[in-house]
Amino acid sequence: MDSSLPRLPYGTWPSPISAAPVAAASPRYEGAAFVAAPDGEEIWWGQSVPTENGRTTVRRRLADGTVEELLPSPWNARSRVHEYGGGAWAATDDGALCFVEKTDQRIWILDPESEPRALTPAGTRMRFGGLRFAAGELWAIREDHTRPGVPARDIVRVPRDGSAATDADQIVSVLAGSDFVAHPAVSPDGSRLAWIAWNHPAMPWDSTELRLGTLVDGRIQTWQTIAGGPGRAPLQPEWADNDRLFFLDDPEDRWNLHAWSASHGPRCVAAVSEDTGGPLWSLGGRWYSLTTDGTAVCVSTHGTDRIIAIAPDGEIRDLGGPVSSGASVEDAAGERALVIGSRSDGAAGVWLVDAATAQWETVAGGEKTWPAEWTPHPIELTTEGPRGEVHAFAFPPTNPTASAPEDELPPYVVLVHGGPTGHVGGAASPKIAYFASRGIGVLDVNYGGSSGYGRAYRERLRGQWGVVDVEDVRDAALALVDAGLADPARIAIDGGSAGGWTVLAAIARTDVFAAGVSRYGVGDARALAADTHDFEARYLDGLIGPLPDAEELYIERSPLSHPDGFDVPMLLLQGAEDEVVPPAQAEAVRELLAARGIPHAYVLYEGEAHGFRRAETVIHALETELAFLGAVFGFTPPDVAPLTLS
């Protein structure tokens, strides 16, 4: 560390990275496509706008390079199928935009030079997602909540002429009969349909089937399973031509690219010791696209993401490029592909890559919001836990204008991702840079159960939620201490959703963490099983065990069952409209903390659901977290209001 720099306590370093640019630098990119237009090829992409209450717009880059908004305010392209949505918009072959409007969950169409008009009826409690325009028609996943109890789901065709806007019977049900369906893929000649199906209690990363059927009068009459079953989870079928179907499958631990034809059946195109594929939380999930010559541009993941090209003969080339985390390959045209993801410095964006030359071009985003010297560089760490290796990325305090007293070790925040099948890829997110620039280190942990390291690593959590994840974040934090990198008395743990469960469980069951931040976290597993939505209604069967037989285990694992373990300050952040983890979970934790006299703060954000999207929420939550750490760890951040704990 530069001895000429002023020495200031960790946590008090001045930083140009305020919460406002963090919020502005945190848009979500949701889908991208090449679209033919009269004046030349356009590129379209979905993008959230934090300053407009997090609404998702669709933007386009015209052939001359001009960027303009295609979907104007207040329209908001966001699906609620499975609550997590995905595939909320699609382009037609003549340049119209089909999209799901968040407020009514109807499908609308925006033709060039016109106003949006509805394609599905009002007031039916139907939701749509996974939109695809293929063979001249609009295909979608429909989730029907009109009947009591469990919603029904099917693949449908929606007429473009608007006839279904007043008559729901005009929507054609192509196939039904499964609890869940995804990834409808129509052959180029319109004669066959491939899709992914699964049933409770499996999740789509546990066991799915790839099915193939013949379309007769626009409906599936008969079908066959061509891949998948117990212990396998095929994903994302895509037609190369009328006879060859590509897809992802994991028969040998890793998701890899496969192909099927009637003459040869299924085969692996290229066995890579990394994952091309991931948890299907969103109906829009895409991990590869096919170029004109049959080359597949793919995401390849082992913790960190990279983009590769797999030639028809199986040859693999690394395409390099800036993306290292959250990668998806959305579309291809000619030899080029559109990639969404984040760079190692946390900047998210849309990029265009030429698979032949490995040349990259920025389409949207990707800008550095602050100078590079303020962004911490990830250190990939692997430590040995009781069940095997634990993977993590450390981001040390980074500030070119300040240093710390010689006798002080930095405080650290251990970040726990959600899912719990998610994963982090070593990108210094804006939030990480915000903390690190102030002298607070961050450890981002891919605990057992995370994706990106193969099925065996992912299934380490099977039946062990609340055990393996807690052991792994504990051991990762202790490895920092053993290496002399962190102050053992000032380690906080921070996570949202399933990560919030791990935060609460780690606070209740270990003595490593001196503070906790839970964002819409789970405190009572039985309440989650009873209250959550249908997509995750049986998720806990695999993570803990099936009810009612495993009820005692649910009680024992739940953090709220161990009230005596809650003995450190906590910050609870919650969305008022969260239907995945309702506010009652956070409020039960708040009541426990209050009853035990533990310092705490609880913030309920109106208008927010599962995951914060509004700029004002992101700003307030981040500043509140910083103020909380200052109050607990004994430093005064220079640019946020102090937080009084109850």
Side-chain angles (χ1 to χ4, degrees), residues 430-586:
K431 177 176 179 175
I432 290 174
Y434 178 82
F435 283 133
S437 66
R438 286 164 167 76
I440 304 168
V442 177
L443 182 68
D444 223 353
V445 184
N446 279 320
Y447 50 88
S450 302
S451 56
Y453 298 94
R455 178 179 281 269
Y457 194 84
R458 193 168 70 246
E459 292 190 342
R460 188 186 294 180
L461 201 61
R462 191 164 188 83
Q464 298 296 315
W465 196 37
V467 178
V468 166
D469 48 328
V470 172
E471 292 174 347
D472 287 357
V473 296
R474 175 201 65 195
D475 292 343
L478 290 175
L480 275 180
V481 173
D482 291 343
L485 299 176
D487 182 345
R490 295 193 295 171
I491 299 178
I493 184 168
D494 176 333
S497 190
W501 155 278
T502 304
V503 167
L504 297 171
I507 293 295
R509 291 172 172 271
T510 76
D511 58 3
V512 172
F513 303 103
V517 179
S518 172
R519 288 171 281 109
Y520 34 90
V522 179
D524 183 340
R526 287 184 302 169
L528 178 65
D531 295 341
T532 196
H533 56 118
D534 185 56
F535 178 69
E536 295 185 73
R538 302 290 300 278
Y539 191 12
L540 298 188
D541 285 28
L543 292 175
I544 300 177
L547 288 170
D549 294 348
E551 184 171 10
E552 291 302 315
L553 193 56
Y554 278 64
I555 295 172
E556 195 278 330
R557 292 276 181 84
S558 294
L560 285 170
S561 297
H562 304 275
D564 292 345
F566 286 85
D567 55 6
V568 300
M570 294 208 65
L571 173 64
L572 308 172
L573 305 174
Q574 177 69 42
E577 299 178 8
D578 193 336
E579 295 190 24
V580 179
V581 182
Q585 292 269 356

Side-chain angles (χ1 to χ4, degrees), residues 80-85 127 143 145 149-151 153 180 200 203 205 280-282 419 497 527-540 577-582 610:
R80 286 190 58 194
V81 174
H82 300 170
E83 294 301 335
Y84 296 103
R127 302 175 181 180
E143 187 175 81
H145 292 255
V150 177
R153 299 177 182 88
F180 302 97
H200 283 310
M203 298 300 288
W205 45 89
L280 188 63
W281 286 100
S282 164
S497 190
L528 178 65
D531 295 341
T532 196
H533 56 118
D534 185 56
F535 178 69
E536 295 185 73
R538 302 290 300 278
Y539 191 12
L540 298 188
E577 299 178 8
D578 193 336
E579 295 190 24
V580 179
V581 182
H610 198 65

Side-chain angles (χ1 to χ4, degrees), residues 350-392:
V350 182
W351 284 271
L352 186 152
V353 59
D354 189 304
T357 65
Q359 295 298 306
W360 289 74
E361 175 187 347
T362 302
V363 175
E367 301 94 351
K368 292 182 178 179
T369 309
W370 39 80
E373 60 267 25
W374 290 90
T375 301
H377 295 288
I379 302 170
E380 192 165 0
L381 298 178
T382 301
T383 189
E384 195 67 27
R387 301 162 200 270
E389 290 184 341
V390 180
H391 302 283

Side-chain angles (χ1 to χ4, degrees), residues 90-418:
T92 68
D93 53 13
D94 59 352
L97 172 68
C98 300
F99 66 96
V100 178
E101 164 56 35
K102 176 192 174 184
T103 57
D104 58 18
Q105 289 300 290
R106 302 167 74 188
I107 300 177
W108 295 72
I109 188 168
L110 177 61
D111 291 301
E113 311 301 328
S114 68
E115 294 294 318
R117 56 186 176 86
L119 296 185
T120 58
T124 60
R125 299 191 67 206
M126 289 189 292
R127 302 175 181 180
F128 298 88
L131 271 56
R132 298 196 74 170
F133 195 84
E137 297 190 90
L138 178 62
W139 307 74
I141 309 300
R142 175 172 61 180
E143 187 175 81
D144 190 346
H145 292 255
T146 56
R147 70 181 188 184
V150 177
R153 299 177 182 88
D154 56 355
I155 295 175
V156 299
R157 287 185 295 113
V158 179
R160 180 175 170 172
D161 62 9
S163 58
T166 55
D167 181 5
D169 290 340
Q170 296 300 311
I171 300 173
V172 178
S173 181
V174 178
L175 65 93
S178 301
D179 291 338
F180 302 97
V181 287
H183 287 311
V186 187
S187 61
D189 63 5
S191 66
R192 290 189 287 183
L193 179 72
W195 72 97
I196 301 297
W198 70 99
N199 292 309
H200 283 310
M203 298 300 288
W205 45 89
D206 296 330
S207 177
T208 62
E209 291 185 358
L210 171 58
R211 296 174 177 174
L212 178 64
T214 301
L215 289 162
V216 178
D217 296 327
R219 291 180 170 86
I220 295 295
Q221 304 294 330
T222 60
W223 53 266
Q224 60 178 316
T225 297
I226 60 174
R232 292 173 59 178
L235 296 166
Q236 196 192 336
E238 302 285 349
W239 292 92
D241 51 45
N242 290 321
D243 299 314
R244 290 183 302 149
L245 181 70
F246 283 77
F247 61 98
L248 306 174
D249 201 0
D250 62 342
E252 297 179 357
D253 187 57
R254 294 286 192 165
W255 272 301
N256 276 176
L257 185 68
H258 288 65
W260 175 92
S261 66
S263 57
H264 296 94
R267 64 177 179 84
C268 183
V269 175
V272 181
S273 58
E274 299 185 345
D275 276 313
T276 294
L280 188 63
W281 286 100
S282 164
L283 289 172
R286 295 177 60 83
W287 293 270
Y288 74 97
S289 286
L290 300 171
T291 66
T292 302
D293 69 353
T295 294
V297 179
C298 305
V299 179
S300 189
T301 303
H302 184 76
T304 298
D305 295 341
R306 63 191 182 111
I307 306 300
I308 63 173
I310 302 177
D313 62 3
E315 179 190 1
I316 299 170
R317 291 180 293 114
D318 192 326
L319 295 180
V323 175
S324 67
S325 180
S328 61
V329 182
E330 297 291 334
D331 196 12
E335 296 180 326
R336 299 161 303 139
L338 291 170
V339 178
I340 288 176
S342 296
R343 297 188 313 218
S344 62
D345 64 3
V350 182
W351 284 271
L352 186 152
V353 59
D354 189 304
T357 65
Q359 295 298 306
W360 289 74
E361 175 187 347
T362 302
V363 175
E367 301 94 351
K368 292 182 178 179
T369 309
W370 39 80
E373 60 267 25
W374 290 90
T375 301
H377 295 288
I379 302 170
E380 192 165 0
L381 298 178
T382 301
T383 189
E384 195 67 27
R387 301 162 200 270
E389 290 184 341
V390 180
H391 302 283
F393 296 93
F395 299 87
T398 302
N399 187 310
T401 68
S403 62
E406 292 182 355
D407 59 349
E408 185 181 0
L409 287 172
Y412 258 78
V413 176
V414 175
L415 294 184
V416 189
H417 65 67

Side-chain angles (χ1 to χ4, degrees), residues 2-82:
D2 190 344
S3 60
S4 66
L5 297 175
R7 294 190 179 275
L8 301 171
Y10 287 112
T12 69
W13 294 356
S15 170
I17 307 175
S18 68
V22 168
S26 304
R28 304 184 185 202
Y29 292 93
E30 302 181 12
F34 294 102
V35 180
D39 295 329
E41 179 185 80
E42 299 178 356
I43 296 175
W44 294 10
W45 66 93
Q47 180 177 337
S48 68
V49 187
T51 55
E52 297 181 23
N53 294 328
R55 93 173 170 95
T56 299
T57 185
V58 178
R59 292 180 172 155
R60 63 179 175 181
R61 189 179 79 173
L62 305 179
D64 63 5
T66 303
V67 173
E68 63 181 30
E69 186 168 67
L70 182 61
L71 185 65
S73 177
W75 297 98
N76 189 349
R78 188 174 173 189
S79 167
R80 286 190 58 194
V81 174
H82 300 170

